[in-house]
Each structure stands twice: as C-alpha cells, then as structure tokens.
Amino acid sequence: MSLRYALLGLLAERPASGYDLLGSFRESLANVWPATQSQIYTELANLAEAGLIAVSDEGPRGRKEYTLTETGRDALRTWLTTTAPKRRDRNEMLLRVFFLGIVPEHARDYLTDIATSAAAAHADLVSVREATEWGDSDLSRYGRIAMEWGERFHTMNREWAQWALTQLPDRDR
C-alpha cells in the first residue's frame, strides 16, 4: 500500500512519466521503499483507475505523463496525517543472531557479512548523496533527511556487528 503513497508523493512535486518515477525510486527512494518497474506501472494504472492521478500528456512510444488529481492530493494528505506507520516487529537478521549458538562455526562469518553489507550500503548512499543535485524543494529537503536516516542506520548496523564480533566466545572467534 505504501507504494501508492510514494507515487502520489512524487507526483505531488511535479508531473512525471512512469520512467521518470522509476528513476526517482532508483536514485532516491530505494533506501526507503524499493520498487520494480512492473510494480510501479501496475500501481500507476491502479491510481489512474481510482482517479487519484490523471494522464496529463502522452508522447511517442506510449509515454504517459501523470499528474496528481485533487482526490489524489487529499488521499496523500489523509495518509500523511491520520494513518500511523505499520510497526515492524520482525527482524530476520536478529532472529538468526539469536540462534547462532546452534552453528557457532558460522557466527563470525555471519556477523562479518552484516558489517560488510552495512558498510557497502552506507557507501552507496554516500555516493548517491554526493551525486545528487540537491535543491530547495520539499522533496529535496525531506529526501536529504531520509537519506541521513539511511546513512546513520547502516553505520549503526556496521558498528553493532563489529561490536557483536567482540562478544563471541573464544571458540567462535
């Protein structure tokens, strides 16, 4: 359901084609809400059918540009102001950590992989941040805030995994 609101939020900034929206997901929202091309185009069709967006321009090769309708803007505002985010109570990574004592010979590799993956994800976000031309728009401002969360999240995961490695009993080191 959040893909719907991610698309509405991007279209609140300016009209865009499905291709443009896919680029926005890859360049800025992947850290927050990844989406595939087929998911985006399917949801655009659903949004148009529901009257939340409208085709505002058509170009060559079937290119369609979408614009947020007032109904869509109202739905986005309602979602932003009255719907609480779903709480994520499950974390498969930590569930596996909880049971690493069953396979202690893999504990070090598992925690090292977490640290390495977190460092790589952090580096990816830094690259995106440095390559992005940040403006004064709301999307840029709040996008930078969301990106900062991602950078801090991955830093925390890397630091935690490095700490966890020091907690392993000698037999697991």
Side-chain angles (χ1 to χ4, degrees), residues 32-59:
V32 178
W33 201 266
T36 64
Q37 180 176 349
S38 63
Q39 290 171 323
I40 289 171
Y41 281 96
T42 298
E43 190 59 33
L44 286 172
N46 293 338
L47 290 168
E49 186 177 317
L52 301 175
I53 63 172
V55 175
S56 56
D57 191 23
E58 294 192 45

Side-chain angles (χ1 to χ4, degrees), residues 10 17 26 36 43 47 53-54 59 61-62 73 95 103 106-107 117 122 125 128 134 136 145 158 160 163 165 169 171:
L10 289 171
S17 67
R26 286 185 179 151
T36 64
E43 190 59 33
L47 290 168
I53 63 172
R61 296 180 303 235
R73 188 173 302 279
L95 181 62
V103 288
H106 295 288
S117 296
H122 180 269
L125 285 178
V128 169
W134 299 101
D136 291 331
I145 291 170
R158 179 184 48 79
W160 170 83
W163 169 84
L165 283 164
R171 68 166 200 234

Side-chain angles (χ1 to χ4, degrees), residues 20-80:
D20 297 332
L21 293 165
L22 179 61
S24 293
F25 270 87
R26 286 185 179 151
E27 294 167 10
S28 61
L29 287 179
N31 175 55
V32 178
W33 201 266
T36 64
Q37 180 176 349
S38 63
Q39 290 171 323
I40 289 171
Y41 281 96
T42 298
E43 190 59 33
L44 286 172
N46 293 338
L47 290 168
E49 186 177 317
L52 301 175
I53 63 172
V55 175
S56 56
D57 191 23
E58 294 192 45
R61 296 180 303 235
R63 180 186 183 277
K64 294 179 182 176
E65 184 175 86
Y66 298 92
T67 302
L68 188 65
T69 64
E70 279 306 312
T71 303
R73 188 173 302 279
D74 290 343
L76 180 59
R77 283 185 180 132
T78 298
W79 178 75
L80 285 167

